[in-house]
């Protein structure tokens, strides 16, 4: 009885360990992409289509954040590092030590629109006002030129790429007020804002619709053109770093992302294409 | 030949019977292995009683008290809804409804249990939340109360069908004896049938609660997701389950955040385990009381 119990436990342990160990894959050519969760959807959808076109290529796409991606590029465990910021000087030095030359490829632009209910008279906000609303300094619309209504702050889950971008561009990495509603997707934020008269939220530029009102930031409308010409403040470039100028299979993939088909996927993922 | 076959079948079915045990041990082990590192880094006390949940900031805060309270508030609200409705309908079905009505009502209540939780989520988000917002003039309709209402509806079939079983287990002789000494139907119901089945009904309530506390998709969609310690039922909360569901996909594997989500799962598991043990203890006492053996 005792023995059989031990046997069962061992079996269970083997079973659960087995689940955690991923099975290595063998393909003719393989490509590992790692890094920013913001760029992840682009890398993922491009990799899927690219693999459909080239059946002998196997691409593995992982998240982890820009820092993790660049670190992996430096120590040689990935071929392409996704990043939502440019490489830091410290990382450049480290790359030099390891004989890696980080080559910057801009693959897309990321803009974030701040949205309110269509009935809200507020048309524009400054970055400072947005920051105060999200961190707790301003809690009524009449403080920013609107009606006397309590502001319902809607944010994204703090692990998401959109949150990461917004947090960096608008909040200086300060903490969002604890009573902010956290929604799991761009659609859920837009849905909640469209049903809540006093709400403020933010979504990737690709998720703007007529059900909500996108306010101007520092007087600039949230449009793709304004992101591309650089006048809209809540926007940034997205990168894929490679070791040296891309060659071979890496070049084929980067070219695909920058091509018409890849940029179409960028748009579909809710980002601003370069062309 | 016959013997060998018999043996094979016996072995096969023994294996199948133990399969769930293997899964249970496997799941528990995974929860412990992946969850325990957090307690080393954050400390059990600070984790369970910490008041702020900021897992991705620098420096991070891993306090899940708002999440635990969020789950408990939503569950408590659900109990307020599903107990009167569930027990009430069980009493009606068992005591008052005729055979034909009973044949219609029971399946209808059981169909409620078969509706996928995401459908409850849609319904709550699109219909109930805006309705509650307008009715009570709240800033936002996604509140603990909205979640309670949806979970209450979801837990009603559990409460109703187990309560109904408990009521039907009360021996006929109890009722007959009561009516024979001159008690009317109401007196028989409240002073004989109800006390005799009280522990069965309590079991049903606790099982309903454990259904409510573990529900994920619905609360993710309708409770708003603000990780604050709730003061009323009418403000947004962030239950434990929806935290895990919303953050698991984007937590970096192997990070403290990742482990902390497993630890939340572990604590949730302990809570539902306590609920189930209590339910089991009560139902044992109940069977003994009615002389039904174990």
């Amino acid at each position: 009885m005792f023995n059989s119990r031990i046997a069962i436990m061992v079996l269970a342990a083997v079973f659960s360990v087995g689940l955690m160990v991923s099975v290595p894959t063998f393909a003719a050519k393989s490509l590992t992409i790692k890094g920013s969760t913001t760029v992840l959807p682009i890398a993922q959808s491009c990799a899927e289509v690219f693999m459909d076109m080239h059946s002998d290529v196997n691409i593995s796409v992982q998240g982890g954040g820009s820092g993790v991606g660049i670190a992996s590029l430096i120590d040689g465990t990935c071929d392409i590092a996704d990043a939502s910021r440019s490489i830091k000087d410290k990382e450049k030095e480290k790359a030099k030590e390891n004989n890696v030359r980080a080559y910057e490829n801009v693959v897309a632009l990321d803009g974030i629109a701040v949205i309110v209910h269509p009935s809200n008279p507020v048309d524009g906000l400054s970055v400072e006002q947005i920051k105060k609303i999200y961190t707790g300094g301003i809690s009524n619309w009449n403080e920013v030129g609107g009606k006397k209504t309590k502001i319902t702050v809607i944010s994204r889950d703090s692990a998401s790429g959109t949150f990461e971008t917004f947090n960096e561009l608008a909040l200086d990495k300060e903490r969002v007020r604890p009573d902010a509603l956290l929604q799991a997707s761009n659609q859920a934020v837009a849905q909640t804002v469209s049903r809540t008269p006093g709400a403020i939220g933010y979504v990737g530029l690709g998720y703007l619709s007529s059900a909500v009102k996108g306010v101007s930031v520092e007087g600039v409308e949230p449009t793709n053109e304004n992101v591309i010409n650089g006048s809209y403040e809540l926007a940034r470039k997205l990168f894929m770093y490679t070791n040296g100028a891309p060659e071979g299979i890496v070049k084929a993939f980067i070219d695909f992302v920058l091509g018409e088909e890849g940029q179409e996927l960028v748009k579909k993922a809710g980002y601003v294409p370069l062309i | 030949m016959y013997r060998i076959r018999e043996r094979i079948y016996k072995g096969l079915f023994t294996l199948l019977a133990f399969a769930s045990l293997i899964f249970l041990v496997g799941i528990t082990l995974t929860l412990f292995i992946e969850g325990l590192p957090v307690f080393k880094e954050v400390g059990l006390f600070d984790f369970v009683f910490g008041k702020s949940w900021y897992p991705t900031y620098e420096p991070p805060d891993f306090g899940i008290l708002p999440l635990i309270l969020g789950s408990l508030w939503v569950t408590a609200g659900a109990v307020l809804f599903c107990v009167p409705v569930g027990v009430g309908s069980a009493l009606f079905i068992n005591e008052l409804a005729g055979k034909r009505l009973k044949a219609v009502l029971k399946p209808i209540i059981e169909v409620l249990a078969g509706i996928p939780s995401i459908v409850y989520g849609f319904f709550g988000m699109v219909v109930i939340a805006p309705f509650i917002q307008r009715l009570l003039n709240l800033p936002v309709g996604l509140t603990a109360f909205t979640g309670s209402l949806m979970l209450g509806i979801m837990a009603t079939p559990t409460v109703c069908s187990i309560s109904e079983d408990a009521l039907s287990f009360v021996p006929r002789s109890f009722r007959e004896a009561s009516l024979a000494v001159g008690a009317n139907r109401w007196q028989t119901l409240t002073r004989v049938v109800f006390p005799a089945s009280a522990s069965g009904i309590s079991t049903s309530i606790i099982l309903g609660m454990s259904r409510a506390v573990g529900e994920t998709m619905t609360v993710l969609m309708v409770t708003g997701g603000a990780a604050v310690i709730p003061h009323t039922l009418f403000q947004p909360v962030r239950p434990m389950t929806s935290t895990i569901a919303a953050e698991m996909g984007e937590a970096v594997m192997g990070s403290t955040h990742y482990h902390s989500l497993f630890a939340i799962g572990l604590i949730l598991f302990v809570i539902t385990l306590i609920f189930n043990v209590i339910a089991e203890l009560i139902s044992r006492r109940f069977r003994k009381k009615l002389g039904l053996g174990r």
Side-chain angles (χ1 to χ4, degrees):
Chain A
M1 184 55 209
F2 188 63
N3 276 336
S4 66
R5 203 180 285 173
I6 288 178
I8 288 165
M9 281 175 123
V10 169
L11 232 135
V14 169
F15 181 72
S16 48
V17 168
L19 276 179
M20 289 179 256
V21 180
S22 55
V23 185
T25 41
F26 302 98
K29 292 175 199 160
S30 71
L31 199 57
T32 306
I33 304 175
K34 222 186 229 179
S36 163
T37 43
T38 315
V39 192
L40 188 71
I42 297 175
Q44 198 118 42
S45 55
C46 286
E48 275 164 25
V49 177
F50 191 79
M51 281 192 284
D52 281 345
M53 287 159 42
H54 308 268
S55 54
D56 58 333
V57 180
N58 182 46
I59 304 179
S60 135
V61 182
Q62 294 161 26
S66 304
V68 173
I70 291 172
S72 317
L73 184 73
I74 292 170
D75 64 26
T77 51
C78 76
D79 304 295
I80 296 175
D82 292 340
S84 51
R85 56 165 172 84
S86 19
I87 190 165
K88 293 176 186 163
D89 289 340
K90 237 187 185 171
E91 291 165 335
K92 268 187 195 159
E93 277 167 36
K94 218 174 158 212
K96 223 177 220 170
E97 284 167 27
N98 285 26
N99 257 336
V100 170
R101 194 170 67 85
Y103 185 90
E104 187 176 289
N105 304 279
V106 177
V107 294
L109 298 167
D110 182 15
I112 290 188
V114 174
I115 55 173
V116 297
H117 193 265
S119 72
N120 195 322
V122 175
D123 286 316
L125 292 167
S126 69
V127 174
E128 187 57 32
Q129 285 172 326
I130 294 171
K131 184 179 166 187
K132 277 199 175 142
I133 289 172
Y134 270 88
T135 52
I138 296 177
S139 49
N140 201 304
W141 280 112
N142 64 8
E143 293 172 65
V144 291
K147 285 182 278 189
K148 196 177 169 196
T149 325
K150 199 177 159 277
I151 302 179
T152 301
V153 176
I154 298 167
S155 180
R156 286 289 306 281
D157 281 308
S158 56
S160 79
T162 312
F163 170 80
E164 189 191 303
T165 310
F166 185 74
N167 190 33
E168 248 173 62
L169 296 175
L171 308 184
D172 291 332
K173 298 199 170 183
E174 270 183 47
R175 289 184 170 190
V176 170
R177 49 191 298 162
D179 62 354
L181 276 71
L182 303 188
Q183 297 290 313
S185 67
N186 278 301
Q187 285 93 336
V189 171
Q191 164 94 356
T192 310
V193 171
S194 73
R195 289 175 186 282
T196 312
I200 186 169
Y202 58 88
V203 292
L205 222 53
Y207 295 93
L208 263 181
S209 73
S210 57
V212 292
K213 184 165 101 179
V215 300
S216 65
V217 176
E218 305 284 353
V220 181
E221 293 290 325
T223 59
N224 283 6
E225 294 76 53
N226 287 340
V227 169
I228 293 170
N229 69 28
S231 60
Y232 187 68
E233 283 204 26
L234 299 184
R236 62 178 177 178
K237 291 175 185 167
L238 299 178
F239 307 97
M240 284 188 181
Y241 281 95
T242 53
N243 182 5
E247 287 167 11
I249 185 75
V250 176
K251 181 171 166 44
F253 182 73
I254 297 281
D255 285 347
F256 172 78
V257 177
L258 294 175
E260 209 170 300
E261 218 172 330
Q263 292 298 305
E264 193 53 43
L265 293 169
V266 164
K267 203 171 164 185
K268 252 189 209 158
Y271 299 101
V272 180
L274 298 166
I275 34 175
Chain B
M1 193 59 204
Y2 183 73
R3 266 215 175 141
I4 295 172
R5 253 169 60 187
E6 182 133 312
R7 256 198 198 162
I8 291 174
Y9 285 140
K10 198 178 165 196
L12 188 67
F13 284 110
T14 314
L15 198 72
L16 289 177
F18 275 89
S20 48
L21 180 68
I22 293 173
F23 291 138
L24 179 67
V25 174
I27 288 169
T28 316
L29 267 178
T30 312
L31 276 182
F32 270 99
I33 292 169
E34 296 284 5
L36 286 182
V38 168
F39 302 134
K40 231 189 313 177
E41 270 172 69
V42 185
L44 180 63
F45 187 85
D46 288 339
F47 186 71
V48 176
F49 295 103
K51 288 192 182 114
S52 42
W53 175 250
Y54 282 102
T56 57
Y57 287 81
E58 200 52 53
D61 261 336
F62 294 101
I64 65 165
L65 189 63
L67 313 181
I68 296 178
L69 290 177
S71 280
L72 294 183
W73 273 78
V74 172
T75 306
V79 168
L80 289 183
F81 181 85
C82 73
V83 169
V85 178
V87 176
S89 40
L91 282 173
F92 179 78
I93 288 171
N94 199 269
E95 300 295 323
L96 299 171
K99 249 194 187 141
R100 225 183 269 164
L101 202 53
K102 189 172 169 177
V104 177
L105 268 178
K106 255 202 121 167
I108 286 180
I109 288 170
E110 272 150 23
V111 164
L112 261 188
I115 297 176
S117 60
I118 189 142
V119 176
Y120 281 101
F122 274 139
F123 182 66
M125 196 173 181
V126 177
V127 181
I128 303 290
F131 175 72
I132 286 175
Q133 181 187 355
R134 272 195 302 270
L135 187 72
L136 303 170
N137 201 15
L138 297 169
V140 61
L142 303 174
T143 62
F145 180 74
T146 321
S148 294
L149 205 60
M150 298 319 295
L151 291 186
I153 298 171
M154 291 174 80
T156 297
T158 311
V159 175
C160 175
S161 70
I162 300 175
S163 295
E164 209 264 330
D165 285 346
L167 288 169
S168 67
F169 277 141
V170 176
R172 230 183 125 83
S173 55
F174 279 37
R175 276 171 245 243
E176 282 166 354
S178 167
L179 294 170
V181 294
N184 61 26
R185 230 166 137 182
W186 176 247
Q187 288 165 329
T188 305
L189 184 62
T190 52
R191 304 208 192 147
V192 177
V193 178
F194 204 66
S197 56
S199 38
I201 291 171
S202 322
T203 307
S204 79
I205 294 167
I206 291 165
L207 289 179
M209 279 166 73
S210 86
R211 166 114 169 82
V213 79
E215 179 47 49
T216 305
M217 205 59 222
T218 311
V219 290
L220 179 63
M221 292 171 83
V222 305
T223 59
V228 275
I229 293 176
H231 297 291
T232 72
L233 268 181
F234 300 103
Q235 74 185 71
V237 293
R238 185 174 186 82
M240 292 189 272
T241 47
S242 55
T243 307
I244 300 175
E247 296 174 18
M248 199 69 218
E250 301 187 86
V252 179
M253 211 175 149
S255 63
T256 312
H257 184 202
Y258 176 84
H259 291 306
S260 72
L261 295 178
F262 277 93
I264 295 175
L266 192 61
I267 283 164
L268 194 61
F269 179 63
V270 170
I271 291 176
T272 47
L273 199 67
I274 291 171
F275 281 167
N276 284 313
V277 168
I278 293 173
E280 181 62 32
L281 287 177
I282 294 175
S283 84
R284 262 191 210 171
R285 220 186 72 194
F286 159 70
R287 288 190 191 137
K288 232 182 237 163
K289 200 158 115 194
L290 290 187
L292 296 172
R294 299 198 43 206

